[in-house]
Amino acid sequence: MPLKRFFAELAWAGRAEVDTKAALRAAGDVITGAQIARDVMIEVDDGRITKVTPGEVQDAESVRLTGLTIPGLANAHSHAFQRALRGRTHQGAGDFWTWREAMYETASALDPDRYYALARATYAEMALAGITAVGEFHYLHHGPGGRAYGDPNEMGRALIAAARDAGIRITLLDCCYLRGGFDRPLDGVQVRFGDGDAERWAERMEDLLGSQSDTVLVAAAIHSVRAVDPKAMATVARFASEHEMPLHVHVSEQRSENAECLEATGHTPAGQLARTGVLGPSTTAVHATHLDEADVVSLGRSGAHVCMCPTTERDLADGVGPARALARAGSPLCLGTDSHASIDLFEEARAVELDERLITERRGHHRAPDLLHAATAAGMQSLGWNGGVLEPGAPADFVTLDLASVRLAGVEPSSVLEHLVFAASAADVVGVIVGGEQVVAARRHTKVPDVARSLSQAIKAVVEPAAVAP
Amino acid sequence: MPLKRFFAELAWAGRAEVDTKAALRAAGDVITGAQIARDVMIEVDDGRITKVTPGEVQDAESVRLTGLTIPGLANAHSHAFQRALRGRTHQGAGDFWTWREAMYETASALDPDRYYALARATYAEMALAGITAVGEFHYLHHGPGGRAYGDPNEMGRALIAAARDAGIRITLLDCCYLRGGFDRPLDGVQVRFGDGDAERWAERMEDLLGSQSDTVLVAAAIHSVRAVDPKAMATVARFASEHEMPLHVHVSEQRSENAECLEATGHTPAGQLARTGVLGPSTTAVHATHLDEADVVSLGRSGAHVCMCPTTERDLADGVGPARALARAGSPLCLGTDSHASIDLFEEARAVELDERLITERRGHHRAPDLLHAATAAGMQSLGWNGGVLEPGAPADFVTLDLASVRLAGVEPSSVLEHLVFAASAADVVGVIVGGEQVVAARRHTKVPDVARSLSQAIKAVVEPAAVAP
């Protein structure tokens, strides 16, 4: 593959450090003191960054990136099919559990073709929003009645193909899901989630590993402490550890989950995970909304990432998790759009801070560089990608924003990162490069000609399955 | 002025009723049963709607509105100059009161020319977001040191000119602001806010009334119970009543405001307003975040509007107000972008519901049609405009949204309003008509050629006043 060169008018190289010396240490010769560098030549070979040089002059061979270029955004928690629910679950009252009924109904309409089409369109929407890697938390493994497809990984491979065709990286977080609750078997559409036991989950996973590539990682997931017993959790954790892959798990999104876990086990969900050996630096706890102090300490000391999904946590009336306390305790934060009520990582990033403001009636819990770090390098790390920075050796994933939008107008050098976090929107993304390939140019997806139309058709096929030929 | 005709592919006529019979009663012959009508011809004469007919065929003379057309959005609470603070107040910690220091510094840099330029650009950003009427809560009346300008209403008239030149309606909520606190005189830049006493405020107001027009209303405002003593409040309320104008007042945005008021008067701020005769159907209480049950009853029974400003209330760590309880008690809700951390009334509308979900851990406090009613007709009423509906007699203000954006893709007829509230963004606004004039066409402002550039220049002149020639 030939060397490619991109010329960024302005660039932020990533990393959270704002102290000049630390920034210099972290970014090597990339950023010479300032956080935002001008006229930065980014050289790319074989999908990776080979050189980053500020203060260059553009030449005819380099592609100009007009605006501010930042590392690609990582969406560390996605359920692609839930994009079909956007706007459709707000006509009654209820809570997370009544919402889940609608979600299960949508899940039950999926087959590999419909899932592929919906995920491809959803991932294309992510690309337009500057997301270059998605963590797909995947549990709809099997066909109606729980019967395995001819290829037991047909659904997972549909998701992998969807990401490839939408031009973004995927970490397929393949989920072990064995029971409906602490004392309940799988029920209804849940039978499609189950592999029977953790050993059979591991067998299926072994087969899936062959689908990995430069832009595809396979990783492990435990749905939740209610859906997987401790022995099976330990099996999944061991598998993840042996294969040096990330391990994701839903934790304490709802209070009733905590109450059930306490009643059944005498421990909180985070406590159960700690006892079962699930927590560690390659683990990501998703949501972590309702924690006690010991949970925060336990997660923080283990070095586990915590993936907050604030717009979903608003939508599903989950509550506000202790993001500040978790970060202080040692858990790197990352971000996910989860149910895709919205696909905008800038909104997720600011929501971490803003929702904590609402609860505490104080400002300034998280610095803007830290929130952008959550949206980039920390998310990439949670998903197993050594990226999210503009540095030699990192995957060549970057995103260019239009600083001349009405939302960002008035931005000044000393507060660019604050403007990005508190005022930018997915609509400000003008260009996206993944592995050195231009996936979005001039706000248009280069591989999916009409993303909105693809979304419309794919959603219609799922919410009105009878109306569409199979 | 000649008759104008607009042909809307799809239209929502406004009003919150979703019951078919109520919708029919409310909308007369406009909407024939369905909430969303197709192929709607909207006829306009002299700035007002004269006829609305669904099921028509487009002809050559009518302007086609491609997408969904809804009534113009009302931004019921704005401090235009605070647009200069967006993205600039997030580098430290602190609370509302430390933020206020930065806000005062910005205010102190304003003169009539700079205020005009900043307000015009900010109102143009509002127009691009579908806002057709703004309520400008205006207290920066006088020059440095509190000296009146040659025309004591020069600042107010600058705001009126700014709205005119940005193509939107304005209700100038001219604010009485007499003291720095219950036991403190005006201090620092606050001296520019004060008229000395309520009688002199009223004199200035009398003079300002001459600036009213088809698109300009002058109305009264009381900054807060801490800034205006009860006798002066009564004078302002009497003036507003005699002139049949709206009266707006900040209420209980911060707990310390309540504590000071209780200590000084023995009553809550809402209690003080009730005792002083300030509350009534033409009053709007802004924020109403920290209320006790008696406050809720008092506001609701009076029929006062309550203007929630959720993105500002997030930004300033105010807290979450009891929107559901207020609406149930009888207060129509309306919405404001206030400090302009964001200018997006769809985000404000959903935030009312979503923030209440975070606090209660339940969904479904507000129906989508009610939230859109808050963003349209209720806001217009709060500002003294009999509009926010597509009905004969109403001002010809309407907004067209692109339903084929990636955010709204997948919308279906039965949940259009839910999609608008929970998924739309200001970036989906493609066309805006105010008083029959096209102010935004194909996402471009027709009167302000480069809104982002105007914002940039106007903000620079205020935050770096020394760098710009006066």
Side-chain angles (χ1 to χ4, degrees):
Chain A
M1 221 181 283
L3 186 77
K4 291 179 184 176
R5 299 159 78 244
F6 298 91
F7 180 81
E9 276 188 345
L10 292 168
W12 177 62
R15 309 239 183 242
E17 295 83 358
V18 287
D19 170 68
T20 305
K21 281 186 190 166
L24 278 168
R25 272 199 309 279
D29 57 357
V30 176
I31 297 296
T32 54
Q35 272 188 274
I36 304 295
R38 283 183 186 280
D39 302 333
V40 180
M41 191 69 80
I42 305 170
E43 295 176 46
V44 172
D45 195 15
D46 200 20
R48 292 191 171 266
I49 296 173
T50 53
K51 201 171 174 199
V52 181
T53 322
E56 287 281 291
V57 176
Q58 197 193 356
D59 55 34
E61 286 80 50
S62 53
V63 175
R64 187 176 186 86
L65 306 174
T66 304
L68 172 69
T69 297
I70 67 172
L73 303 173
N75 189 357
H77 193 67
S78 160
H79 301 283
F81 74 90
Q82 294 179 16
R83 173 62 181 83
L85 292 168
R86 185 186 295 175
R88 286 168 203 278
T89 66
H90 301 282
Q91 285 177 334
D95 59 12
F96 174 90
W97 307 100
T98 45
W99 170 85
R100 197 177 71 157
E101 293 306 310
M103 186 269 277
Y104 278 177
E105 195 179 318
T106 301
S108 69
L110 294 169
D111 62 22
D113 289 347
R114 288 186 184 130
Y115 208 0
Y116 164 80
L118 181 51
R120 171 176 166 270
T122 302
Y123 297 157
E125 183 180 352
M126 290 184 197
L128 291 173
I131 291 162
T132 62
V134 63
E136 178 67 28
F137 198 100
H138 167 54
Y139 49 73
L140 190 73
H141 303 303
H142 304 299
R147 281 182 300 279
Y149 290 104
D151 168 7
N153 281 310
E154 192 167 346
M155 291 295 243
R157 286 194 233 273
L159 293 166
I160 288 170
R164 177 196 65 209
D165 295 346
I168 68 171
R169 289 176 204 281
I170 187 170
T171 298
L172 189 72
L173 301 157
D174 191 294
C175 186
C176 184
Y177 196 125
L178 302 175
R179 60 186 187 185
F182 290 96
D183 54 1
R184 291 188 298 283
L186 298 174
D187 184 39
V189 72
Q190 289 175 339
V191 300
R192 298 182 62 180
F193 310 165
D195 289 303
D197 56 43
E199 286 68 30
R200 275 180 280 179
W201 169 85
E203 271 171 45
R204 196 173 47 67
M205 281 290 281
E206 287 284 0
D207 173 63
L208 195 53
L209 292 175
S211 289
Q212 296 190 113
S213 73
D214 279 359
T215 59
V216 176
L217 287 177
V218 169
I222 290 167
H223 181 273
S224 56
V225 293
R226 71 175 186 276
V228 183
D229 60 89
K231 189 162 157 286
M233 284 202 285
T235 303
V236 175
R238 202 162 46 241
F239 184 94
S241 167
E242 282 167 12
H243 290 80
E244 296 182 357
M245 55 173 53
L247 169 58
H248 283 224
V249 54
H250 286 136
V251 182
S252 296
E253 182 174 5
Q254 286 283 319
R255 286 186 202 276
S256 64
E257 189 183 328
N258 286 12
E260 281 178 29
C261 186
L262 270 169
E263 194 188 324
T265 71
H267 302 280
T268 62
Q272 272 291 84
L273 295 175
R275 283 161 48 85
T276 322
V278 168
L279 299 184
S282 58
T283 308
T284 296
V286 181
H287 300 301
T289 309
H290 301 288
L291 302 185
D292 65 23
E293 279 179 43
D295 293 339
V296 170
V297 170
S298 171
L299 281 164
R301 284 205 184 140
S302 77
H305 285 72
V306 170
C307 182
M308 315 294 282
C309 309
T311 68
T312 294
E313 289 149 12
R314 286 173 179 168
D315 191 323
L316 301 187
D318 293 334
V320 180
R324 182 72 201 95
L326 283 161
R328 194 184 291 121
S331 278
L333 302 181
C334 56
L335 300 168
T337 67
D338 190 2
S339 68
H340 314 309
S342 157
I343 294 182
D344 186 339
L345 277 187
F346 300 103
E347 179 65 24
E348 302 295 340
R350 64 180 154 263
V352 170
E353 166 71 18
L354 295 177
D355 291 352
E356 209 149 356
R357 289 187 190 177
L358 284 179
I359 298 298
T360 61
E361 298 174 25
R362 297 284 303 171
R363 310 174 88 228
H365 305 277
H366 305 270
R367 300 176 318 150
D370 293 329
L371 293 168
L372 284 175
H373 182 78
T376 53
M380 291 295 177
Q381 194 173 34
S382 155
L383 296 178
W385 301 103
N386 188 18
V389 288
L390 303 185
E391 287 177 16
D397 297 1
F398 32 94
V399 175
T400 305
L401 291 115
D402 175 16
L403 291 184
S405 80
V406 286
R407 286 170 290 277
L408 294 172
V411 66
E412 62 182 4
S414 64
S415 58
V416 173
L417 301 186
E418 286 72 20
H419 269 85
L420 282 195
V421 168
F422 290 98
S425 126
D428 297 321
V429 170
V430 290
V432 179
I433 312 280
V434 182
E437 298 293 327
Q438 190 114 30
V439 174
V440 175
R443 298 178 197 268
R444 296 239 154 234
H445 202 290
T446 60
K447 292 163 172 275
V448 182
D450 187 339
V451 176
R453 194 179 159 82
S454 299
L455 279 165
S456 257
Q457 290 173 340
I459 291 169
K460 199 172 174 129
V462 171
V463 299
E464 302 168 20
V468 178
Chain B
M1 221 181 283
L3 185 77
K4 291 180 184 176
R5 299 159 78 245
F6 298 91
F7 180 81
E9 275 189 345
L10 291 168
W12 176 62
R15 306 234 185 249
E17 295 83 358
V18 286
D19 170 69
T20 305
K21 281 186 190 166
L24 278 167
R25 272 201 308 279
D29 57 357
V30 176
I31 297 295
T32 55
Q35 272 188 273
I36 304 296
R38 282 184 186 280
D39 300 334
V40 179
M41 190 68 79
I42 306 169
E43 295 177 45
V44 172
D45 195 16
D46 200 22
R48 291 190 172 267
I49 296 173
T50 54
K51 203 172 172 197
V52 181
T53 322
E56 287 281 292
V57 176
Q58 197 193 357
D59 55 33
E61 286 81 50
S62 53
V63 176
R64 187 177 186 86
L65 306 174
T66 303
L68 172 69
T69 297
I70 67 173
L73 303 172
N75 190 357
H77 192 67
S78 160
H79 301 283
F81 74 90
Q82 294 178 16
R83 173 62 182 83
L85 292 168
R86 185 185 296 174
R88 284 168 203 278
T89 66
H90 301 282
Q91 285 177 334
D95 59 12
F96 174 91
W97 306 100
T98 45
W99 170 86
R100 197 176 72 156
E101 294 306 310
M103 187 269 278
Y104 277 177
E105 194 179 320
T106 302
S108 69
L110 293 169
D111 62 22
D113 290 346
R114 288 188 183 128
Y115 208 0
Y116 163 81
L118 181 51
R120 170 177 166 271
T122 302
Y123 297 157
E125 183 180 352
M126 290 185 197
L128 291 173
I131 292 161
T132 62
V134 63
E136 177 66 29
F137 198 101
H138 167 55
Y139 48 74
L140 189 72
H141 303 302
H142 304 299
R147 282 180 300 280
Y149 289 105
D151 168 7
N153 281 309
E154 192 168 346
M155 291 295 243
R157 286 194 232 274
L159 293 166
I160 288 170
R164 178 197 66 211
D165 295 346
I168 68 172
R169 291 176 203 280
I170 187 170
T171 298
L172 189 72
L173 301 156
D174 190 293
C175 186
C176 184
Y177 196 125
L178 303 175
R179 60 186 187 185
F182 290 95
D183 55 0
R184 292 189 297 282
L186 297 173
D187 184 39
V189 72
Q190 290 175 338
V191 300
R192 299 182 60 181
F193 311 164
D195 290 304
D197 57 43
E199 287 67 31
R200 274 179 282 179
W201 168 85
E203 271 171 45
R204 195 172 49 67
M205 280 290 279
E206 286 285 359
D207 173 64
L208 194 54
L209 292 174
S211 289
Q212 296 190 113
S213 73
D214 279 357
T215 58
V216 175
L217 287 177
V218 169
I222 290 166
H223 181 273
S224 57
V225 292
R226 71 176 186 274
V228 184
D229 61 89
K231 188 161 158 289
M233 284 202 285
T235 303
V236 175
R238 201 161 46 241
F239 183 93
S241 167
E242 281 167 12
H243 292 78
E244 296 182 356
M245 56 173 51
L247 170 58
H248 283 224
V249 54
H250 286 136
V251 182
S252 295
E253 182 175 4
Q254 284 284 319
R255 286 186 202 276
S256 65
E257 190 184 326
N258 286 12
E260 282 178 29
C261 185
L262 270 169
E263 193 188 325
T265 71
H267 301 280
T268 63
Q272 271 291 84
L273 294 175
R275 283 161 48 87
T276 323
V278 168
L279 299 183
S282 58
T283 307
T284 296
V286 181
H287 301 300
T289 309
H290 300 288
L291 303 185
D292 65 23
E293 279 179 42
D295 293 339
V296 171
V297 170
S298 172
L299 281 164
R301 284 204 184 141
S302 77
H305 284 72
V306 170
C307 182
M308 315 293 283
C309 308
T311 66
T312 294
E313 290 149 12
R314 286 173 180 169
D315 191 324
L316 301 187
D318 293 334
V320 180
R324 181 72 201 95
L326 283 161
R328 194 184 290 122
S331 279
L333 302 181
C334 54
L335 301 167
T337 66
D338 190 2
S339 68
H340 314 309
S342 158
I343 294 183
D344 186 339
L345 278 187
F346 300 103
E347 179 66 24
E348 303 294 340
R350 63 180 155 263
V352 170
E353 167 71 18
L354 295 176
D355 290 352
E356 210 149 356
R357 289 186 191 178
L358 284 180
I359 298 298
T360 62
E361 298 174 26
R362 297 284 302 170
R363 310 173 88 228
H365 305 277
H366 305 270
R367 300 176 318 150
D370 294 329
L371 293 169
L372 283 175
H373 182 79
T376 54
M380 291 295 178
Q381 194 174 33
S382 155
L383 296 177
W385 301 102
N386 188 18
V389 287
L390 303 186
E391 287 177 17
D397 296 1
F398 32 95
V399 174
T400 304
L401 291 115
D402 176 17
L403 291 184
S405 79
V406 286
R407 286 169 290 278
L408 294 172
V411 66
E412 63 182 6
S414 65
S415 58
V416 173
L417 302 186
E418 286 74 18
H419 269 85
L420 282 195
V421 169
F422 290 98
S425 124
D428 297 320
V429 170
V430 289
V432 179
I433 312 278
V434 182
E437 299 292 326
Q438 191 114 29
V439 175
V440 175
R443 299 177 197 267
R444 296 239 154 234
H445 202 290
T446 61
K447 293 162 171 275
V448 181
D450 186 339
V451 177
R453 195 180 158 81
S454 299
L455 279 165
S456 255
Q457 290 173 339
I459 291 168
K460 198 173 174 124
V462 172
V463 298
E464 303 168 20
V468 178

